[in-house]
Amino acid sequence: SFLFPKTIRRKIVHIYNFKSNYFCILGLTRKKIYKPNSKIVIIGSDEVFNCMQKNVRVGYSLDLFGKPFHSNELYSYAASFGNTTIEQIIENNKEKELGDLLSQFKFISVRDDNSNNIVKKITNASVPVCVNLDPTLMYENLVNEIPEIDTKDNYIIVYAYDNRINEEERKAIERFALNNKLKIYIIGGVQSFGDKLIYDSPHNILGYFKKAKCVVTDTFHGTL
Protein backbone atom coordinates (compact mmCIF):
# COMPACT_ATOMS: atom_id res chain seq x y z
CA SER A 1 0.00 0.00 0.00
CA PHE A 2 2.96 2.32 0.59
CA LEU A 3 4.69 1.42 -2.68
CA PHE A 4 2.00 2.65 -5.06
CA PRO A 5 2.24 6.41 -4.25
CA LYS A 6 6.04 6.13 -4.50
CA THR A 7 5.68 4.58 -7.94
CA ILE A 8 3.36 7.37 -9.09
CA ARG A 9 5.83 10.00 -7.91
CA ARG A 10 8.65 8.19 -9.71
CA LYS A 11 6.56 8.06 -12.90
CA ILE A 12 5.79 11.78 -12.84
CA VAL A 13 9.43 12.72 -12.28
CA HIS A 14 10.56 10.26 -14.94
CA ILE A 15 8.18 11.62 -17.59
CA TYR A 16 9.00 15.24 -16.77
CA ASN A 17 12.75 14.75 -16.89
CA PHE A 18 12.67 12.66 -20.06
CA LYS A 19 10.45 15.14 -21.91
CA SER A 20 12.46 18.14 -20.73
CA ASN A 21 15.82 16.67 -21.69
CA TYR A 22 15.13 14.68 -24.85
CA PHE A 23 11.94 15.75 -26.65
CA CYS A 24 13.70 18.94 -27.74
CA ILE A 25 16.23 16.80 -29.65
CA LEU A 26 13.36 15.67 -31.89
CA GLY A 27 12.01 19.20 -32.23
CA LEU A 28 8.98 18.43 -30.05
CA THR A 29 7.52 21.23 -27.93
CA ARG A 30 4.15 22.02 -26.39
CA LYS A 31 3.21 24.00 -29.51
CA LYS A 32 4.89 21.83 -32.12
CA ILE A 33 4.19 18.11 -31.98
CA TYR A 34 4.41 17.18 -35.65
CA LYS A 35 3.96 18.67 -39.11
CA PRO A 36 0.92 17.20 -40.93
CA ASN A 37 2.07 18.84 -44.17
CA SER A 38 5.61 17.46 -44.17
CA LYS A 39 6.97 16.57 -47.60
CA ILE A 40 8.19 13.16 -46.44
CA VAL A 41 6.77 11.20 -43.50
CA ILE A 42 8.29 7.98 -42.14
CA ILE A 43 6.31 5.97 -39.58
CA GLY A 44 8.00 3.41 -37.38
CA SER A 45 9.65 1.36 -36.33
CA ASP A 46 8.36 -0.82 -33.44
CA GLU A 47 4.72 -1.88 -33.00
CA VAL A 48 3.20 1.21 -34.57
CA PHE A 49 0.57 -0.89 -36.40
CA ASN A 50 -0.41 -2.93 -33.32
CA CYS A 51 -3.94 -1.53 -33.24
CA MET A 52 -5.92 -4.31 -31.52
CA GLN A 53 -4.18 -4.24 -28.16
CA LYS A 54 -5.95 -4.76 -24.85
CA ASN A 55 -3.82 -1.99 -23.36
CA VAL A 56 -6.26 0.92 -22.90
CA ARG A 57 -3.36 3.39 -22.79
CA VAL A 58 -2.47 2.64 -26.40
CA GLY A 59 -5.79 2.49 -28.22
CA TYR A 60 -6.72 2.52 -31.89
CA SER A 61 -4.67 5.39 -33.33
CA LEU A 62 -5.04 6.17 -37.02
CA ASP A 63 -2.23 8.73 -36.70
CA LEU A 64 0.12 5.77 -36.86
CA PHE A 65 -1.41 4.75 -40.18
CA GLY A 66 -0.77 8.18 -41.70
CA LYS A 67 -4.29 9.65 -41.50
CA PRO A 68 -3.38 13.22 -40.44
CA PHE A 69 -0.50 13.56 -42.88
CA HIS A 70 -0.95 15.24 -46.24
CA SER A 71 2.17 13.95 -47.94
CA ASN A 72 2.89 12.47 -51.33
CA GLU A 73 5.73 10.48 -49.80
CA LEU A 74 4.50 8.39 -46.88
CA TYR A 75 6.64 5.46 -45.76
CA SER A 76 7.06 3.05 -42.87
CA TYR A 77 10.27 1.48 -41.62
CA ALA A 78 10.40 -1.90 -39.83
CA ALA A 79 6.87 -1.38 -38.53
CA SER A 80 4.96 -4.18 -36.83
CA PHE A 81 1.39 -5.23 -36.10
CA GLY A 82 2.74 -6.93 -32.98
CA ASN A 83 0.20 -9.43 -31.68
CA THR A 84 -2.60 -7.99 -33.83
CA THR A 85 -3.86 -10.61 -36.29
CA ILE A 86 -5.76 -10.35 -39.56
CA GLU A 87 -8.63 -12.21 -37.87
CA GLN A 88 -8.90 -9.50 -35.21
CA ILE A 89 -8.90 -6.75 -37.84
CA ILE A 90 -11.67 -8.46 -39.83
CA GLU A 91 -13.67 -9.28 -36.69
CA ASN A 92 -13.65 -5.58 -35.71
CA ASN A 93 -14.56 -4.43 -39.24
CA LYS A 94 -11.36 -2.44 -39.66
CA GLU A 95 -10.02 -4.18 -42.74
CA LYS A 96 -11.21 -1.54 -45.23
CA GLU A 97 -10.29 1.50 -43.11
CA LEU A 98 -6.76 0.31 -42.44
CA GLY A 99 -6.36 -0.98 -45.98
CA ASP A 100 -7.35 2.37 -47.48
CA LEU A 101 -4.88 4.21 -45.26
CA LEU A 102 -1.99 1.86 -45.92
CA SER A 103 -2.71 1.98 -49.65
CA GLN A 104 -1.72 5.66 -49.57
CA PHE A 105 1.84 4.72 -48.59
CA LYS A 106 4.48 4.93 -51.28
CA PHE A 107 6.38 2.05 -49.69
CA ILE A 108 5.83 -0.08 -46.59
CA SER A 109 8.59 -1.71 -44.60
CA VAL A 110 7.72 -4.16 -41.81
CA ARG A 111 9.85 -6.29 -39.51
CA ASP A 112 8.02 -9.62 -39.38
CA ASP A 113 6.04 -12.07 -41.51
CA ASN A 114 2.75 -11.49 -39.68
CA SER A 115 2.85 -7.79 -40.53
CA ASN A 116 3.91 -8.51 -44.10
CA ASN A 117 0.95 -10.83 -44.61
CA ILE A 118 -1.54 -8.40 -43.05
CA VAL A 119 -0.40 -5.50 -45.23
CA LYS A 120 -0.66 -7.57 -48.41
CA LYS A 121 -4.10 -8.84 -47.40
CA ILE A 122 -5.77 -5.54 -46.47
CA THR A 123 -4.20 -3.52 -49.32
CA ASN A 124 -4.77 -6.23 -51.92
CA ALA A 125 -1.01 -6.04 -52.56
CA SER A 126 -1.49 -2.56 -54.03
CA VAL A 127 1.56 -1.09 -52.30
CA PRO A 128 5.17 -2.37 -52.28
CA VAL A 129 6.05 -4.05 -48.98
CA CYS A 130 9.20 -5.73 -47.70
CA VAL A 131 10.58 -7.14 -44.45
CA ASN A 132 13.52 -5.24 -42.97
CA LEU A 133 15.79 -5.89 -40.02
CA ASP A 134 14.70 -4.36 -36.74
CA PRO A 135 16.88 -1.23 -36.31
CA THR A 136 18.02 -2.32 -32.84
CA LEU A 137 20.08 -5.00 -34.58
CA MET A 138 21.81 -2.50 -36.87
CA TYR A 139 24.63 -1.72 -34.48
CA GLU A 140 27.87 -2.63 -36.29
CA ASN A 141 29.16 0.93 -36.47
CA LEU A 142 27.87 1.84 -33.01
CA VAL A 143 29.60 -0.69 -30.75
CA ASN A 144 32.85 1.24 -30.46
CA GLU A 145 30.99 4.47 -29.79
CA ILE A 146 29.02 3.31 -26.74
CA PRO A 147 29.92 5.72 -23.91
CA GLU A 148 31.53 4.67 -20.64
CA ILE A 149 29.12 5.37 -17.80
CA ASP A 150 30.61 7.15 -14.80
CA THR A 151 29.43 5.03 -11.89
CA LYS A 152 31.28 3.02 -9.26
CA ASP A 153 28.28 0.78 -8.60
CA ASN A 154 28.11 -2.85 -9.52
CA TYR A 155 24.54 -3.15 -10.68
CA ILE A 156 21.87 -5.09 -12.50
CA ILE A 157 19.38 -3.49 -14.87
CA VAL A 158 15.65 -4.06 -14.75
CA TYR A 159 14.30 -3.02 -18.14
CA ALA A 160 10.55 -3.69 -18.23
CA TYR A 161 7.17 -2.12 -18.72
CA ASP A 162 5.66 -0.14 -15.84
CA ASN A 163 4.93 -2.37 -12.86
CA ARG A 164 4.76 -5.53 -14.94
CA ILE A 165 7.28 -7.21 -12.64
CA ASN A 166 5.10 -9.19 -10.24
CA GLU A 167 5.71 -9.63 -6.52
CA GLU A 168 7.41 -13.01 -6.84
CA GLU A 169 9.75 -11.69 -9.53
CA ARG A 170 10.50 -8.55 -7.51
CA LYS A 171 11.53 -10.62 -4.48
CA ALA A 172 13.74 -12.84 -6.65
CA ILE A 173 15.46 -9.82 -8.22
CA GLU A 174 16.03 -8.17 -4.86
CA ARG A 175 17.33 -11.42 -3.36
CA PHE A 176 19.71 -11.92 -6.29
CA ALA A 177 20.97 -8.34 -6.00
CA LEU A 178 21.49 -8.64 -2.25
CA ASN A 179 23.31 -11.98 -2.48
CA ASN A 180 25.64 -10.63 -5.18
CA LYS A 181 26.08 -7.15 -3.64
CA LEU A 182 24.55 -5.40 -6.63
CA LYS A 183 22.50 -2.23 -6.94
CA ILE A 184 19.27 -2.35 -8.95
CA TYR A 185 19.02 0.21 -11.77
CA ILE A 186 15.56 0.72 -13.27
CA ILE A 187 15.49 1.73 -16.94
CA GLY A 188 12.46 2.23 -19.19
CA GLY A 189 9.27 1.54 -17.26
CA VAL A 190 8.90 2.76 -13.69
CA GLN A 191 8.88 0.08 -10.98
CA SER A 192 7.94 0.13 -7.30
CA PHE A 193 11.43 -1.02 -6.30
CA GLY A 194 15.07 -0.46 -7.19
CA ASP A 195 17.94 1.73 -6.02
CA LYS A 196 18.09 4.14 -8.93
CA LEU A 197 15.78 5.20 -11.75
CA ILE A 198 17.79 6.01 -14.88
CA TYR A 199 16.58 8.55 -17.43
CA ASP A 200 19.19 9.34 -20.03
CA SER A 201 19.62 9.65 -23.78
CA PRO A 202 19.10 6.49 -25.87
CA HIS A 203 22.81 6.44 -26.67
CA ASN A 204 23.87 6.67 -23.03
CA ILE A 205 21.40 3.94 -22.08
CA LEU A 206 23.53 1.55 -24.14
CA GLY A 207 26.41 2.45 -21.85
CA TYR A 208 24.44 1.30 -18.82
CA PHE A 209 23.65 -2.01 -20.54
CA LYS A 210 27.31 -2.45 -21.47
CA LYS A 211 28.47 -2.11 -17.87
CA ALA A 212 25.66 -4.07 -16.19
CA LYS A 213 26.46 -7.35 -14.44
CA CYS A 214 23.03 -8.71 -15.34
CA VAL A 215 19.87 -7.60 -17.17
CA VAL A 216 16.31 -8.55 -16.27
CA THR A 217 13.80 -7.71 -19.00
CA ASP A 218 10.33 -8.59 -20.22
CA THR A 219 10.68 -6.93 -23.63
CA PHE A 220 11.88 -7.88 -27.10
CA HIS A 221 14.17 -4.88 -27.38
CA GLY A 222 15.50 -5.36 -23.88
CA THR A 223 16.54 -8.87 -24.87
CA LEU A 224 18.29 -7.60 -27.98
Side-chain angles (χ1 to χ4, degrees), residues 2-44:
F2 293 100
L3 292 176
F4 188 70
K6 179 181 178 182
T7 305
I8 296 298
R9 289 196 299 271
R10 277 185 164 193
K11 182 67 174 179
I12 293 172
V13 171
H14 177 60
I15 292 174
Y16 175 81
N17 283 315
F18 192 88
K19 285 184 175 180
S20 298
N21 292 326
Y22 304 113
F23 273 24
C24 58
I25 297 175
L26 302 174
L28 301 179
T29 67
R30 290 177 181 270
K31 297 181 180 180
K32 181 180 176 184
I33 304 302
Y34 58 77
K35 294 181 178 180
N37 295 312
S38 298
K39 182 177 180 181
I40 299 174
V41 176
I42 302 174
I43 296 175

Side-chain angles (χ1 to χ4, degrees), residues 153-157 177 180-185 194-196:
D153 291 337
N154 289 318
Y155 61 89
I156 66 173
I157 286 176
N180 291 277
K181 298 180 180 180
L182 300 170
K183 297 289 187 181
I184 300 174
Y185 282 13
D195 298 295
K196 191 172 183 179

Side-chain angles (χ1 to χ4, degrees), residues 106-126:
K106 191 169 184 178
F107 194 92
I108 294 178
S109 158
V110 294
R111 73 178 192 199
D112 56 83
D113 290 338
N114 176 58
S115 301
N116 187 24
N117 294 333
I118 291 177
V119 170
K120 289 180 178 178
K121 172 71 175 178
I122 65 178
T123 64
N124 292 317
S126 62

